[in-house]
Amino acid sequence: MRKTRLDNWICEIESLPELTREGLDALQLRRLNETLARLKIRGGIYAGCPEKLEDLSQLAELPFTTPAMLAKNPGAFLLTSQAEVSRVISGATSGTTGPAKRVFYTQRDTENTIGFFAAGIGEMLSPGEKCLIAFPFSGPFGLGDLIAKAVERLGGIPIRAGFGQNWGELSALVEETQPETYIGFPVTLLSLSRMYGKPLPIRRALVSGDACPKGVIEALEACLRSKLYPHYGSRECGLGGAVTCPAHEGMHLRENHIIPEIIGENGQVLPEGEYGELVITTIGLEAMPLLRYRTGDYTRILPPCPCGGVTRRIDTVSRMEGAISIETLDSALFPLEALVDYHACFDGTLHLDARTVDGSGGDWLTQAAQDGCPGISVKVQVSQALLSQRPMYLGKRFLETE
């Protein structure tokens, strides 16, 4: 199998003749020390950190950065002048209850994100193909716009669907444009496939913006008759973090800009293959590099990929929500082919407001939810999904609690 486009992109922008593990480790250490030197000059929140490390293993000796720290004083993390900032993302991440955060990017930061997006999207999109982008378009440096630029860079044609359209509007856009590929939330695509009324023209999909549990993956791959290309990203890592290669076994990390760690409950670094919290050090961001940022996402680092690529891979990512989670429910419920969407709330009893193609399926959904969450009382209300309705989550899916 050929090397990943991500490996090729890293070689291109880092001026490397080839990518090796030793070379990538050396690049990370050099860039980490450059970041530490900048932070030392800046002072402030990282003032107590060393200016230089002799080995990447010493990274584990540095303190963690938390979402609460970033939310409390985002300006303390900014290493450039305000004049150099081309994009600011503000507010709480959709679907979470964590503190609101502001993250800054320079023009170079966004250019690197476009390059990374193009490397990942290029694994599934060919020149001349149309790509339905079901993410928000919030301005010239918004997520949807950056993805569209990456698609255009590959010779593709972006179809700017945005997010929040009702099923009738989205179905009409697909019917009119006949896109071969899709980039967006996974459940949005699955719900669309069940409301469209006939097989979708979409044959390949890069899914992102939310966790994609096993049940949703299997349902989508059966619908598209092809493997998915899951992507992991966050505002803190520059929007693009890790993406799937043609081997479809985990997501390759953007390791020229991100150093990953997996930690256990006590903060200790775990060995390869063990599940824990993903911690990232963003050595490739100009405006706001972060040291050992605790993402709150749960995954593991996988062994070398069958594709032969050099960059490390992470497994499917889930949010650390406890025994009952929206991901567990999605995996249990979406095998019901008539299910279009549902909203979940837990107050000691699990309440499901579900929409199905014909308004039936309440007993099946109740049993599936009880099987997925043993010992939990479940109440299900079912109605027929209408083309005039929008997705029930305009952002990440989450379990509402009272």
Side-chain angles (χ1 to χ4, degrees):
M1 186 176 291
R2 63 172 172 81
K3 295 292 183 68
T4 68
R5 290 176 181 264
L6 176 59
D7 279 15
N8 294 336
W9 174 71
I10 292 175
C11 285
E12 178 185 345
I13 69 167
E14 305 297 348
S15 300
L16 299 173
E18 64 175 339
L19 196 63
T20 64
R21 188 67 248 173
E22 296 77 14
L24 191 49
D25 288 345
L27 172 65
Q28 287 185 338
L29 181 59
R30 174 175 61 82
R31 190 154 283 162
L32 174 60
N33 283 332
E34 291 171 351
T35 301
L36 288 171
R38 293 178 65 208
L39 293 171
K40 197 70 174 180
I41 294 172
R42 170 67 166 81
I45 202 156
Y46 291 127
C49 292
E51 187 174 348
K52 184 178 181 181
L53 301 180
E54 298 300 326
D55 189 87
L56 284 174
S57 63
Q58 294 177 303
L59 179 62
E61 300 171 10
L62 302 185
F64 293 114
T65 304
T66 66
M69 293 166 62
L70 186 58
K72 182 178 180 180
N73 190 8
F77 295 89
L78 182 61
L79 288 191
T80 60
S81 68
Q82 289 285 351
E84 295 174 277
V85 173
S86 64
R87 169 69 168 160
V88 181
I89 299 181
S90 301
T93 303
S94 58
T96 68
T97 56
K101 301 182 290 287
R102 300 183 73 209
V103 181
F104 302 85
Y105 310 92
T106 65
Q107 179 67 47
R108 183 179 177 184
D109 291 336
T110 55
E111 172 57 33
N112 282 335
T113 295
I114 294 171
F116 171 76
F117 282 166
I121 296 167
E123 300 289 7
M124 69 157 193
L125 181 139
S126 298
E129 288 188 327
K130 295 179 287 295
C131 182
L132 184 75
I133 303 172
F135 275 131
F137 284 81
S138 56
F141 295 105
L143 178 58
D145 189 70
L146 296 181
I147 294 171
K149 284 181 168 60
V151 169
E152 290 172 337
R153 188 168 295 182
L154 293 165
I157 304 167
I159 307 299
R160 294 170 169 83
F163 196 68
Q165 293 182 323
N166 66 42
W167 299 122
E169 293 166 335
L170 199 53
S171 295
L173 181 61
V174 170
E175 183 69 14
E176 177 186 355
T177 60
Q178 295 291 298
E180 295 90 348
T181 61
Y182 168 94
I183 298 174
F185 291 94
V187 170
T188 301
L189 178 58
L190 182 57
S191 300
L192 172 64
S193 73
R194 293 172 175 181
M195 291 296 288
Y196 190 58
K198 57 184 176 180
L200 287 171
I202 296 166
R203 287 292 169 261
R204 296 174 301 282
L206 188 153
V207 292
S208 188
D210 207 351
C212 193
K214 182 179 179 181
V216 175
I217 289 176
E218 291 176 348
L220 268 175
E221 289 181 343
C223 167
L224 302 181
R225 298 190 294 279
S226 68
K227 292 285 189 179
L228 295 179
Y229 289 85
H231 166 269
Y232 171 79
S234 67
R235 63 182 67 177
E236 292 87 354
C237 71
L239 299 177
V243 72
T244 304
C245 75
H248 299 280
E249 295 187 19
M251 296 173 284
H252 287 265
L253 284 153
R254 179 180 167 183
E255 279 200 278
N256 58 327
H257 295 153
I258 296 171
I259 301 176
E261 299 173 276
I262 303 295
I263 64 169
E265 292 183 1
N266 297 321
Q268 76 278 18
V269 177
L270 300 177
E272 180 182 285
E274 292 194 23
Y275 284 97
E277 182 181 0
L278 176 64
V279 171
I280 57 172
T281 297
T282 54
I283 52 175
L285 292 179
E286 280 189 329
M288 185 182 277
L290 300 173
L291 297 180
R292 307 197 75 203
Y293 181 79
R294 298 189 63 160
T295 65
D297 294 323
Y298 188 79
T299 187
R300 62 175 176 164
I301 294 179
L302 297 169
C305 185
C307 77
V310 173
T311 52
R312 289 186 178 92
R313 299 171 300 145
I314 54 175
D315 206 345
T316 302
V317 175
S318 61
R319 294 189 292 276
M320 302 173 71
E321 294 182 325
I324 304 177
S325 71
I326 195 73
E327 296 156 33
T328 299
L329 291 170
D330 281 354
S331 204
L333 301 182
F334 275 111
L336 177 64
E337 294 183 1
L339 178 61
V340 174
D341 205 354
Y342 72 91
H343 178 271
C345 178
F346 183 70
D347 60 2
T349 296
L350 179 62
H351 301 270
L352 301 178
D353 180 8
R355 294 172 181 168
T356 63
V357 172
D358 59 3
S360 67
D363 291 343
W364 194 99
L365 290 170
T366 300
Q367 186 62 56
Q370 290 173 338
D371 292 343
C373 304
I376 300 298
S377 175
V378 179
K379 291 186 177 180
V380 177
Q381 176 179 315
V382 181
S383 60
Q384 183 176 6
L386 305 175
L387 289 173
S388 59
Q389 294 171 332
R390 302 192 299 171
M392 300 182 80
Y393 291 93
L394 296 181
K396 288 184 178 180
R397 300 175 63 77
F398 64 100
L399 179 64
E400 183 180 321
T401 56
E402 295 183 357

